[in-house]
Amino acid sequence: MIYLAWLIPVVPFVSFLCLLWMRKAARSLASWFAVAASAITFGLTLAVFFASFQQGTFTQEWSWLTIGSIDITFGVLLNPLNSLMLLLVSFISFLIHVYSMGYMKGDSRISVYYGYLGLFTSAMLGLVLSPNLLQFYMFWELVGLGSFLLIGFYFYKNSAKQAAKKAFIMTRIGDVGLLIGLILLFWQTNSLRFTDIYTSITAGQVEAGMVTLIAILIFIGAIGKSGQFPLHTWLPDAMEGPTPVSALIHAATMVAAGVYLVAVMYPLYMASAIALTVVACVGAFTAIYAATIGLVQNDIKQVLAYSTISQLGYMMLAMGVLGYTAGVFHLFTHAFFKALLFLAAGSVIHALHTQNIKEMGGLNKKLKVTSFSFLVGALAISGFPLLSGFFSKEEILAAVWADGQYVLFFVALGAAFLTSLYMFRLYFLVFRGEPKKSLDHIQEAPIGMKATMVVLAIFALGIGYVNTPWFGTFLGDWLTEGASFLTGGHHSSPVWIMLAATIVSLGGIALAYYIYEGKKVDQGNWKQSFSGTYRMLSRNYYIDEFYELTFVKGTRGLGMAFHYIEMYVVSGMMDMIQGFFFSIGKTGSKTQNGQTQTYGAVAFLGLVLFMAFYIWKGGY
Amino acid sequence: MDGEALAFMLLSALAILGGILMLNLRKVVHMVLAVVLTFLSLAGLYVTLSAEFVAVVQILIYSGAISIMMIFGIMLTKHNSKERRTKTPVRTGLVGIGVIVFFITVYYAIENLFYPTEATNLHVENTEQIGILIFSHYVIPFELVSVVLLVALVGAIILAKNKEADE
Amino acid sequence: MPMQPYLIVALILFCIGLFGALTKRNTIIVLICIELMLNAVNLNLIAFSKYGANANISGQVFSLFTITVAAAEVAVGMAILIALYRNKRNVNIDKMNTLKD
């Protein structure tokens, strides 16, 4: 069964091709077809996962290019991390497919939508299965393409077009870093295969400065894809896409690719303390920074988007403090509860046709399943005790503490507090309180959407138990098994960290309740007294404006300068060259003037020339 | 200087004069008349070369038919048109030089050409000799020439026919 | 009486005809110049028929053929000229440059 692993990305790709090919004819069947394809993918993944669980690491490679002594291959690689990601991606993708049947019902371009979903899933699965960096990079770009297409799905909306462009360009900036890192790595180790790279790095064949440089360059790629601090602005804008897409791309899979990249290249980071520190600092800063912005957003999806950025920052922080298991574990649990939150938000949007939380309220009476699912998701992400987020977050905090990064520890703790605060602000504003508008016509989502939400809710409740300090660290053991370069799965954490995490989480929830449900604080007053801060937060720290002023305007100015150089210097030269040949051509074409007499004269002169030459040489 | 040489000098001078006049006159009708002078002088030269029949044909065809046709052509188009000064002095100059070089080279070729023999009986029964030769040895070319003339006749009529007037 | 003077006269006439054919702008004159060149050739033929290496009356027969063909050529040339004039209202050869296109 494990030999069929290569089929996993092929199935959704075939679905993509079929749907694109017959997009008009198959509109009614498109969703069923795509769901069937993703179900097959999921089934295959499950089978391969269990096979890999029993057999351990599995590699299958075909030679692709041979350059001198270097063999570039493509194929599949299955190790614990890969199979975990594989399972995650295909499962969430399957659920999203099912959910989309309800959400996208009646859309005229539904087959195109499912086609893009197939392409995206295929790219992500291929990325996860890659045994070498080159194949990884190709699928990485394909993932970028898929997200571009899906974000710009409502391309007739200008904002969606802009957002798609922005996402593509911002991630491209990161990709350049990744590409340079990849080339440097190839130069240094003569191979792009992960296993060879691990061997070279751990054997110390690459000098330390170079390792740091490569690690940071690759991390730039991860920053772009995972929406970390300097390149994060595309992610909130990417909420222009359909909500299930947001759930799939911006919660569970694509943004996780950045974290996955760091996890895959982990030996590289292990070898460089500076790179690890950079990763940790960027992660921690992003976590708290995005959380503060999330506090004041009024668009339900924007809040979730900033929450995603913040949680990804958490994962990066975990990676940066040698908490490999913690990071991957949080990636795993986060995928479930964030997808759940997005799907619940999608259900709200589906019912209300608005995304502004100021127009919502009291929805728990009407949307019972949605409300319950959202509550579970919010509790899980806040780290409420015994839910999945609690374990992974606690693991991260323990890892940070164990690494001795005390400043970062308190930053992370603050971010956790803010997380539960804004999540419950969202919950109370949307589902509790008095309805802002009449709710009579509001209906709960169709069964398919409800079912997926319930399934995800169950996972969000229970998935944390694969790796707990009490019942055993199965996940951590399994991930680190056979990977000698990794440190132990679980950091023996003091009990007070767990307590602190719990208190922080509950404190955030309580504060949110106090402010938004209990109405103990006059919000208008609060907004006014901190108007500067509020505006700064709601404008995303003016980062977009900053980029607009510096990069966009700067680039435009540079472009103008080059434009003038182009216009006067380059095209002046070109005009001269062109004029030269033009005049030659003009002279030549003058002889072709259609005058038979001229032609005759030329022919005659030629004859005369030959005759004169003949006589001169002593002819006759 | 015997009479033959005198006749040759006079006739050839007239022929060349006609050619030069043709090049230098302005009015097209005058040019044609100058060429008629050349044609007539050439007929005289043919007589000095014992080709009486050809001389008569020359007068009939060239001085008569062809010149008249030229004049008709001029009348049918722009009958009082003048030849203007050329607008392409470079080409004219080049062609002039080329013609001079051509003249020199060909002159160089013919200046020492000499055959001792001379046909003496050409003027005896000249027309009869030509007739016998045409209708015996050259009968096939003769018939072909008649076909050429017929084709030229038909072609000229078709080309010159006014199609608009027909319709 | 040697042969060269006749040949030289023929050469001069030929050169005049050639020069005129390549430089004159009126198409009728160009045709006439071509006739002049043919006449020069005729003179050559007849001169050779009297003084040539194998002096013979055939030269005169040849010149008769040449005259016939020249007449046919003039007839066709005139017809073309008139057809062109009908289309272009002009007989100048430098206006007939459709070969350019």
Side-chain angles (χ1 to χ4, degrees):
Chain A
M1 203 59 206
I2 201 160
Y3 292 97
L4 291 177
W6 60 272
L7 262 176
I8 293 171
V10 171
V11 172
F13 192 73
V14 168
S15 144
F16 159 67
L17 289 181
C18 291
L19 285 170
L20 219 59
W21 183 42
M22 41 183 203
R23 57 184 182 277
K24 284 274 148 50
R27 192 177 297 155
S28 50
L29 290 172
S31 50
W32 289 105
F33 182 74
V35 168
S38 70
I40 292 169
T41 313
F42 179 57
L44 263 172
T45 314
L46 214 58
V48 167
F49 178 78
F50 283 117
S52 141
F53 197 75
Q54 284 159 3
Q55 294 181 14
T57 305
F58 166 78
T59 316
Q60 195 177 14
E61 279 180 312
W62 295 273
S63 184
W64 177 29
L65 289 173
T66 307
I67 308 157
S69 59
I70 298 150
D71 219 15
I72 292 178
T73 57
F74 70 97
V76 296
L77 170 71
L78 281 172
N79 58 23
L81 177 65
N82 286 6
S83 356
L84 186 71
M85 285 298 289
L86 213 55
L87 196 65
L88 188 69
V89 171
S90 60
F91 180 57
I92 303 272
S93 167
F94 170 64
L95 289 180
I96 300 293
H97 274 80
V98 174
Y99 181 87
S100 297
M101 284 172 76
Y103 191 83
M104 299 299 286
K105 197 177 186 118
D107 194 293
S108 59
R109 291 168 63 236
I110 191 159
S111 45
V112 177
Y113 171 81
Y114 272 110
Y116 289 167
L117 273 191
L119 172 71
F120 179 80
T121 311
S122 160
M124 192 66 204
L125 292 169
L127 181 146
V128 167
L129 278 170
S130 299
N132 61 52
L133 254 182
L134 192 67
Q135 190 185 339
F136 181 92
Y137 185 74
M138 278 160 44
F139 281 108
W140 177 272
E141 293 294 358
L142 265 182
V143 167
L145 170 70
S147 78
F148 171 78
L149 292 172
L150 284 169
I151 294 166
F153 182 72
Y154 297 128
F155 60 87
Y156 39 82
K157 264 170 42 189
N158 196 40
S159 55
K161 243 186 324 198
Q162 297 293 341
K165 227 162 45 180
K166 190 172 178 180
F168 201 63
I169 292 169
M170 292 298 259
T171 49
R172 287 293 319 164
I173 296 170
D175 295 348
V176 173
L178 172 60
L179 183 62
I180 297 171
L182 186 152
I183 292 166
L184 281 179
L185 203 56
F186 183 67
W187 178 44
Q188 291 291 323
T189 64
N190 263 332
S191 173
L192 285 169
R193 197 173 296 134
F194 288 135
T195 44
D196 294 352
I197 292 171
Y198 298 163
T199 323
S200 303
I201 298 287
T202 43
Q205 283 170 7
V206 185
E207 54 183 296
M210 189 53 90
V211 170
T212 308
L213 180 65
I214 294 170
I216 288 175
L217 282 169
I218 288 180
F219 182 58
I220 289 173
I223 284 178
K225 220 43 148 200
S226 284
Q228 295 300 288
F229 165 59
L231 299 178
H232 67 278
T233 57
W234 67 269
L235 215 160
D237 286 19
M239 294 301 134
E240 286 293 342
T243 308
V245 168
S246 304
L248 177 64
I249 301 186
H250 308 114
T253 55
M254 170 176 165
V255 291
V259 182
Y260 174 74
L261 174 61
V262 175
V264 159
M265 300 308 294
Y266 211 63
L268 200 64
Y269 292 91
M270 301 270 290
S272 165
I274 301 170
L276 275 180
T277 314
V278 169
V279 173
C281 289
V282 169
F285 181 73
T286 308
I288 188 120
Y289 162 87
T292 52
I293 298 173
L295 277 176
V296 296
Q297 295 298 319
N298 283 329
D299 183 318
I300 184 166
K301 283 175 78 180
Q302 293 283 329
V303 177
L304 292 177
Y306 281 106
S307 146
T308 305
I309 297 175
S310 172
Q311 296 305 309
L312 288 163
Y314 250 102
M315 297 170 206
M316 287 297 185
L317 171 64
M319 289 292 173
V321 294
L322 296 176
Y324 177 82
T325 315
V328 175
F329 184 34
H330 195 57
L331 171 64
F332 188 58
T333 54
H334 172 255
F336 289 103
F337 54 68
K338 186 48 64 69
L340 171 63
L341 286 168
F342 265 115
L343 293 189
S347 165
V348 170
I349 295 164
H350 185 71
L352 265 74
H353 302 290
T354 179
Q355 302 190 4
N356 190 346
I357 56 175
K358 295 282 177 199
E359 297 173 17
M360 300 172 187
L363 289 175
N364 63 337
K365 297 185 190 72
K366 281 282 186 179
L367 307 177
K368 288 205 170 57
V369 177
T370 308
S371 170
F372 167 73
S373 313
F374 195 92
L375 181 63
V376 170
L379 285 172
I381 197 173
S382 306
F384 193 79
L386 307 183
L387 269 68
S388 56
F390 170 73
F391 296 110
S392 57
K393 225 171 226 182
E394 187 267 340
E395 185 98 355
I396 291 175
L397 289 172
V400 178
W401 185 261
D403 198 49
Q405 308 272 13
Y406 302 116
V407 179
L408 295 182
F409 176 78
F410 287 109
V411 170
L413 217 54
F417 173 73
L418 289 175
T419 304
S420 51
L421 180 60
Y422 65 69
M423 280 320 298
F424 277 88
R425 165 180 178 263
L426 196 60
Y427 176 73
F428 289 131
L429 281 177
V430 173
F431 294 101
R432 294 304 177 110
E434 292 305 309
K436 303 286 189 301
K437 291 198 295 195
S438 161
L439 297 177
D440 298 340
H441 61 284
I442 299 230
Q443 284 178 353
E444 179 64 293
I447 180 78
M449 288 164 71
K450 271 195 287 199
T452 45
M453 282 190 285
V454 170
V455 169
L456 276 173
I458 292 165
F459 274 94
L461 278 170
I463 201 73
Y465 290 94
V466 297
N467 192 34
T468 63
W470 306 319
F471 307 117
T473 54
F474 311 114
L475 182 78
D477 296 344
W478 183 54
L479 275 176
T480 49
E481 162 202 26
S484 53
F485 52 83
L486 294 169
T487 49
H490 182 70
H491 300 275
S492 52
S493 58
V495 178
W496 67 267
I497 288 183
M498 196 177 278
L499 280 176
T502 313
I503 289 164
V504 159
S505 154
L506 291 176
I509 297 171
L511 186 62
Y513 181 82
Y514 180 69
I515 296 174
Y516 296 102
E517 179 71 3
K519 297 278 191 293
K520 295 293 191 314
V521 176
D522 183 10
Q523 287 174 51
N525 203 357
W526 186 61
K527 224 176 266 178
Q528 264 173 2
S529 48
F530 295 99
S531 63
T533 320
Y534 181 80
R535 214 178 311 121
M536 188 166 83
L537 287 178
S538 63
R539 297 296 297 152
N540 180 8
Y541 284 98
Y542 297 107
I543 283 287
D544 271 330
E545 283 79 359
F546 174 73
Y547 284 168
E548 173 74 24
L549 273 177
T550 52
F551 292 111
V552 178
K553 288 260 167 64
T555 314
R556 197 164 287 164
L558 202 65
M560 287 293 263
F562 283 132
H563 175 69
Y564 284 114
I565 290 175
E566 156 78 24
M567 216 157 83
Y568 293 111
V569 180
V570 178
S571 69
M573 259 156 65
M574 291 314 294
D575 279 352
M576 264 164 59
I577 294 169
Q578 178 242 15
F580 174 67
F581 287 107
F582 188 72
S583 60
I584 287 181
K586 201 129 183 159
T587 318
S589 80
K590 250 185 200 153
T591 62
Q592 300 289 322
N593 58 359
Q595 302 277 332
T596 39
Q597 278 184 313
T598 309
Y599 297 171
V602 170
F604 168 65
L605 286 175
L607 173 74
V608 165
L609 221 62
F610 275 113
M611 283 172 69
F613 183 73
Y614 189 54
I615 291 200
W616 179 58
K617 296 299 278 187
Y620 302 135
Chain B
M1 184 184 285
D2 58 354
E4 195 191 352
L6 193 72
F8 169 76
M9 298 271 272
L10 192 69
L11 289 170
S12 56
L14 277 175
I16 293 165
L17 178 73
I20 290 167
L21 276 177
M22 193 271 293
L23 284 184
N24 288 296
L25 285 171
R26 301 293 303 278
K27 283 194 118 177
V28 177
V29 179
H30 293 175
M31 291 167 150
V32 174
L33 290 176
V35 168
V36 169
L37 176 64
T38 308
F39 290 158
L40 288 172
S41 318
L42 278 171
L45 280 177
Y46 293 165
V47 173
T48 64
L49 285 168
S50 325
E52 292 89 358
F53 184 72
V54 180
V56 173
V57 169
Q58 166 88 2
I59 291 169
L60 276 175
I61 303 290
Y62 275 102
S63 316
I66 291 179
S67 305
I68 296 300
M69 201 149 78
M70 292 289 180
I71 288 166
F72 264 104
I74 291 163
M75 284 164 61
L76 283 173
T77 56
K78 280 187 179 171
H79 47 270
N80 55 356
S81 66
K82 288 179 182 171
E83 172 77 14
R84 279 167 297 161
R85 282 295 122 203
T86 174
K87 272 198 221 157
T88 53
V90 178
R91 197 179 74 199
T92 310
L94 277 174
V95 170
I97 292 166
V99 166
I100 287 164
V101 173
F102 177 77
F103 179 85
I104 290 166
T105 52
V106 178
Y107 179 78
Y108 181 76
I110 61 177
E111 77 178 329
N112 292 321
L113 196 67
F114 181 73
Y115 300 108
T117 53
E118 183 179 338
T120 49
N121 61 343
L122 287 180
H123 60 287
V124 182
E125 306 270 328
N126 179 263
T127 313
E128 191 185 352
Q129 285 188 54
I130 291 174
I132 288 167
L133 204 59
I134 283 180
F135 287 107
S136 60
H137 193 247
Y138 289 111
V139 68
I140 293 172
F142 179 75
E143 294 299 334
L144 284 177
V145 160
S146 71
V147 173
V148 167
L149 277 176
L150 181 67
V151 169
L153 178 74
V154 174
I157 290 169
I158 288 172
L159 277 170
K161 198 171 63 175
N162 192 345
K163 284 174 190 144
E164 289 162 15
D166 278 1
E167 289 155 7
Chain C
M1 185 76 197
M3 184 176 60
Q4 279 92 343
Y6 289 101
L7 298 186
I8 288 164
V9 169
L11 178 59
I12 291 169
L13 288 176
F14 187 84
C15 286
I16 290 171
L18 186 60
F19 181 76
L22 291 180
T23 54
K24 290 293 174 185
R25 299 173 71 226
N26 193 316
T27 313
I28 293 171
I29 303 304
V30 172
L31 272 176
I32 285 173
C33 288
I34 291 167
E35 291 305 312
L36 199 59
M37 287 157 78
L38 281 167
N39 260 295
V41 171
N42 275 348
L43 183 58
N44 259 10
L45 281 171
I46 288 168
F48 274 107
S49 92
K50 188 165 169 71
Y51 299 112
N54 185 15
N56 194 318
I57 202 156
S58 291
Q60 295 185 7
V61 177
F62 270 45
S63 71
L64 283 174
F65 286 148
T66 315
I67 288 169
T68 322
V69 172
E73 180 233 310
V74 167
V76 175
M78 274 296 156
I80 291 172
L81 185 72
I82 286 167
L84 274 173
Y85 178 74
R86 200 177 286 139
N87 285 329
K88 295 216 169 201
R89 296 279 132 196
N90 204 313
V91 288
N92 282 353
I93 198 165
D94 53 0
K95 293 286 190 301
M96 295 161 193
N97 58 356
T98 45
L99 267 181
K100 190 163 66 176
D101 304 321

